[in-house]
């Protein structure tokens, strides 16, 4: 008697041969896939019928900052600088353990409902060193797989100086290294959680701490994951300070290599793409957040053609969504439009980035990212009986270009049915949403006048709403 049988789905396995099998069953026992095939005759404690559905690996969100889920919509249509200075800092510098927990729960709920089974969260908001533990507990209890990237910022936050009243999340080198080791020991390899180290960006971390971080990651044999060349100004900054471009500088410091994960990688030269390819460095592409903040579009079609491992991520509030299908579709469409080449990124490549390549970025591809016997059972079932998905035919292009996260019917993580018929079983959905509302109110109340002004900004006569109140903020 096995634990779970998913019957009669169109199974997109994402195995090495990229096998797709119609009317296929997936058998799961003790958290792992034990058999995949047509007409399996096995007794199961639980059976999910998947007729007319796609069954595929759960999606991997390779980069996020879930604390921002509580603050979406307060400041909007802003460039990176005002977005940080006027909107982000005044609110997030006040985040408490309870706020952190409520934000993570809201994000986890949204992700599970969108078929995300693995989340990599870059948590640097050490306003309280306990925050990251609370967030990791939320993911753990929600049943999600997570790679928690322990943030290290000892110098600035997005270029803001440490002497600002808002910089409550910046901590000293000694404390960060000590806490990173403590966090690693507590969580790495426990149940579904792994740990990585996460310098903020070149400007956020001192050279001394950066070098020690790389050394520590090597000792612990874990990823170092950081923002690289995301916004165009960072290259000028790095050039001015170190006479190198951003990714070149990371190469000099030893961050590149199979354990190096680069978020964004928008402003990379051909030479730097060459470095990424030759060193086996991984990239997480966040197309919606990059577009929304006016960062630009990462050259992922070149990266993919060089064999670079690229995953996809939402990043924080600048995505306004945790729907990875939306992220994947956007990644493809941006490349097609800007390269004037409909073939520049294919549906198959987008599916790879969403699943097996995303898992590879996090070093989890031996365990998850594809449906294969012996692998951990992170599986989603997507309902295709809907006007925007019918009539059928080839499943993959409709999944990638038409389906939405809300079409995910069941989410299964390590054999546990976390969502069944769109009802999340591992969380109290109403409580999570009520807590989110209460914590958002609490944060806004304590954030101060700038935030209240942003929320009260009137419909502008022209241009972005925040500008109509900007004079008062300077
Ligand atoms: Zn980010």
């Amino acid at each position: 008697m096995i634990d779970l049988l998913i019957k009669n789905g169109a199974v997109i396995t994402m195995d090495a041969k990229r096998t797709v099998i119609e009317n296929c069953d997936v058998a799961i026992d003790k958290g792992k896939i034990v058999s995949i095939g047509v007409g399996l005759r096995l007794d199961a404690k639980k059976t999910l019928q998947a007729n007319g559905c796609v069954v595929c690996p759960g999606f991997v969100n390779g980069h996020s900052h879930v604390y921002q889920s509580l603050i979406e919509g307060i400041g909007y249509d802003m460039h990176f600088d005002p977005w940080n200075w006027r909107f982000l800092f005044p609110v997030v510098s006040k985040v408490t353990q309870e706020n952190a927990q409520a934000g993570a729960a809201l994000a986890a709920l949204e992700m599970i409902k969108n078929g995300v089974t693995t989340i990599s969260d870059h948590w640097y908001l050490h306003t309280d060193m306990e925050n990251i533990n609370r967030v990791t507990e939320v993911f753990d209890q929600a049943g999600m797989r997570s790679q928690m990237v322990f943030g290290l910022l000892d110098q600035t936050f997005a270029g803001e100086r440490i002497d600002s009243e808002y910089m409550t999340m910046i901590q000293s080198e000694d404390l960060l290294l000590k806490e990173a080791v403590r966090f690693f020991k507590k969580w790495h390899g426990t149940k579904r959680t792994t740990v990585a180290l996460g310098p903020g960006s070149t400007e956020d971390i001192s050279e001394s701490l950066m070098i020690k971080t790389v050394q520590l990651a090597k000792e612990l044999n874990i990823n170092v994951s950081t923002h690289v060349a995301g916004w165009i100004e960072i290259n000028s900054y790095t050039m001015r300070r170190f006479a190198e471009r951003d990714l070149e500088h990371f190469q000099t410091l030893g961050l590149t290599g199979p354990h190096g994960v680069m978020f964004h990688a928008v402003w990379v030269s051909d030479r730097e793409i060459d470095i990424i390819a030759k060193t086996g460095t991984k990239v997480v592409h966040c197309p919606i957040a990059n577009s929304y903040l006016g960062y630009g579009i990462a050259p992922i079609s070149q990266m993919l053609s060089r064999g670079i491992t690229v995953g996809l991520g939402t990043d924080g509030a600048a995505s306004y969504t945790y729907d990875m299908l939306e992220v994947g579709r956007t990644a493809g469409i941006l490349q097609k439009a800007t390269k004037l080449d409909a073939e520049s990124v294919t549906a198959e490549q987008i599916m790879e980035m969403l699943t097996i390549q995303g898992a590879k970025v996090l070093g989890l591809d031996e365990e998850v990212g594809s449906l294969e016997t012996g692998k951990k059972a992170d599986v989603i079932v997507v309902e295709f009986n809907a006007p925007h998905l019918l009539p059928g035919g080839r499943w993959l292009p409709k999944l990638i270009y038409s389906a939405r996260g809300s079409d995910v019917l069941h989410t299964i993580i390590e054999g546990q049915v976390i969502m069944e018929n769109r009802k999340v079983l591992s969380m109290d959905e109403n409580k999570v949403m009520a807590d989110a509302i209460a914590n958002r109110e609490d944060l806004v109340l304590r954030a101060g006048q700038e935030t209240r002004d942003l929320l009260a900004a009137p419909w502008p006569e022209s241009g972005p709403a925040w500008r109509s109140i900007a004079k008062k903020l300077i």
Side-chain angles (χ1 to χ4, degrees):
M1 174 87 63
I2 58 163
D3 289 336
L4 178 64
L5 187 60
I6 305 170
K7 292 284 293 175
N8 294 322
V11 178
I12 300 175
T13 63
M14 302 309 292
D15 64 7
K17 292 181 180 168
R18 305 295 189 251
T19 313
V20 179
I21 315 170
E22 303 274 347
N23 298 314
C24 178
D25 305 338
V26 178
I28 295 164
D29 195 44
K30 298 183 179 64
K32 290 190 174 175
I33 297 168
V34 291
S35 186
I36 299 174
V38 176
L40 294 182
R41 293 192 178 180
L42 290 165
D43 288 330
K45 290 177 196 156
K46 185 177 180 67
T47 301
L48 294 170
Q49 294 296 337
N51 307 62
C53 296
V54 161
V55 179
C56 67
F59 300 133
V60 177
N61 182 356
H63 179 53
S64 70
H65 308 284
V66 290
Y67 73 85
Q68 294 178 15
S69 64
L70 282 190
I71 60 172
E72 281 177 18
I74 293 178
Y76 57 97
D77 300 330
M78 299 163 120
H79 286 282
F80 189 45
D81 266 5
W83 196 79
N84 280 315
W85 292 42
R86 308 271 186 241
F87 155 51
L88 207 59
F89 298 155
V91 194
V92 303
S93 56
K94 309 281 197 318
V95 162
T96 62
Q97 287 184 31
E98 287 68 30
N99 301 149
Q101 189 172 338
L106 185 66
L109 181 61
E110 186 178 344
M111 283 190 273
I112 292 166
K113 290 187 90 90
N114 282 288
V116 176
T117 51
T118 300
I119 168 66
S120 178
D121 194 71
H122 185 207
W123 188 277
Y124 48 73
L125 208 63
H126 304 306
T127 49
D128 181 324
M129 292 307 306
E130 211 31 50
N131 288 350
I132 188 167
N133 284 300
R134 297 287 283 267
V135 169
T136 311
E137 275 160 20
V138 168
F139 292 145
D140 180 54
Q141 283 163 18
M144 291 192 78
R145 190 174 307 287
S146 69
Q147 179 156 101
M148 294 302 297
V149 183
F150 186 98
L152 299 106
L153 292 77
D154 69 338
Q155 191 167 283
T156 75
F157 176 14
E160 175 76 346
R161 288 203 320 273
I162 198 165
D163 52 6
S164 157
E165 57 169 313
Y166 294 143
M167 291 303 105
T168 53
M169 65 290 284
I170 308 292
Q171 302 295 346
S172 70
E173 179 180 300
D174 287 350
L175 181 68
L176 286 167
L177 289 169
K178 192 175 87 188
E179 290 291 329
V181 171
R182 191 164 76 101
F183 183 71
F184 171 85
K185 284 182 179 161
K186 180 168 181 188
W187 287 103
H188 188 71
T190 60
K191 288 194 267 183
R192 298 166 306 279
T193 305
T194 51
V195 172
L197 300 183
S201 73
T202 323
E203 65 187 1
D204 293 333
I205 181 167
S206 62
E207 206 175 354
S208 157
L209 179 54
M210 186 69 104
I211 290 164
K212 286 175 186 164
T213 301
V214 173
Q215 186 55 39
L216 179 60
K218 284 199 175 115
E219 282 166 24
L220 301 176
N221 195 28
I222 56 175
N223 284 350
V224 184
S225 313
T226 188
H227 297 89
V228 62
W231 43 102
I232 195 161
E233 298 89 345
I234 196 79
N235 268 331
S236 308
Y237 172 86
T238 316
M239 187 64 82
R240 213 164 43 235
R241 271 194 73 196
F242 303 106
E244 289 176 305
R245 291 170 61 88
D246 212 31
L247 190 120
E248 287 174 345
H249 183 56
F250 285 163
Q251 160 86 338
T252 303
L253 295 176
L255 270 85
T256 50
H259 276 307
V261 178
M262 307 286 144
F263 309 137
H264 305 324
V266 177
W267 298 101
V268 284
S269 64
D270 289 349
R271 207 183 89 75
E272 288 170 307
I273 292 177
D274 201 47
I275 292 171
I276 297 172
K278 283 184 175 155
T279 55
T281 306
K282 318 291 198 311
V283 169
V284 180
H285 176 47
C286 304
I288 299 183
N290 291 171
S291 303
Y292 177 81
L293 287 170
Y295 282 8
I297 302 164
I300 60 158
S301 56
Q302 284 105 305
M303 292 180 193
L304 292 172
S305 68
R306 291 292 312 272
I308 293 168
T309 303
V310 180
L312 294 170
T314 53
D315 210 355
S319 259
Y320 276 90
T321 186
Y322 283 102
D323 180 352
M324 290 304 295
L325 282 169
E326 197 181 336
V327 172
R329 184 161 54 244
T330 305
I333 282 172
L334 287 173
Q335 296 296 312
K336 290 168 192 286
T338 53
K339 301 291 172 197
L340 307 179
D341 180 4
E343 301 176 358
S344 57
V345 173
T346 64
E348 287 80 6
Q349 286 175 310
I350 295 170
M351 187 63 179
E352 286 169 353
M353 291 190 283
L354 286 168
T355 57
I356 187 70
Q357 295 293 84
K360 197 172 173 189
V361 167
L362 305 180
L364 300 174
D365 53 311
E366 296 285 313
E367 296 174 37
V368 294
S370 62
L371 306 186
E372 295 178 73
T373 301
K375 273 196 156 180
K376 289 178 177 170
D378 289 9
V379 188
I380 58 171
V381 178
V382 187
E383 168 71 85
F384 264 55
N385 188 27
H388 62 289
L389 293 170
L390 291 173
R394 282 182 75 87
W395 301 95
L396 187 70
K398 288 298 280 178
L399 176 68
I400 296 299
Y401 297 123
S402 298
R404 300 167 193 140
S406 54
D407 296 315
V408 176
L409 192 62
H410 312 307
T411 300
I412 296 139
I413 306 176
E414 204 154 321
Q416 295 295 311
V417 182
I418 302 294
M419 179 175 76
E420 183 171 0
N421 292 314
R422 296 216 46 76
K423 183 174 168 37
V424 175
L425 306 175
S426 57
M427 307 179 92
D428 180 338
E429 296 190 36
N430 289 329
K431 183 175 184 312
V432 168
M433 291 191 282
D435 284 351
I437 292 166
N439 276 273
R440 154 79 164 243
E441 281 172 7
D442 167 61
L443 254 180
V444 168
L445 205 66
R446 290 183 296 106
Q449 197 57 44
E450 286 191 13
T451 304
R452 286 194 284 278
D453 285 347
L454 269 179
L455 275 167
W459 192 287
E461 284 177 25
S462 66
W466 76 273
R467 294 258 206 114
S468 62
I469 56 156
K471 281 197 177 66
K472 279 190 246 169
L473 300 175
I474 291 165

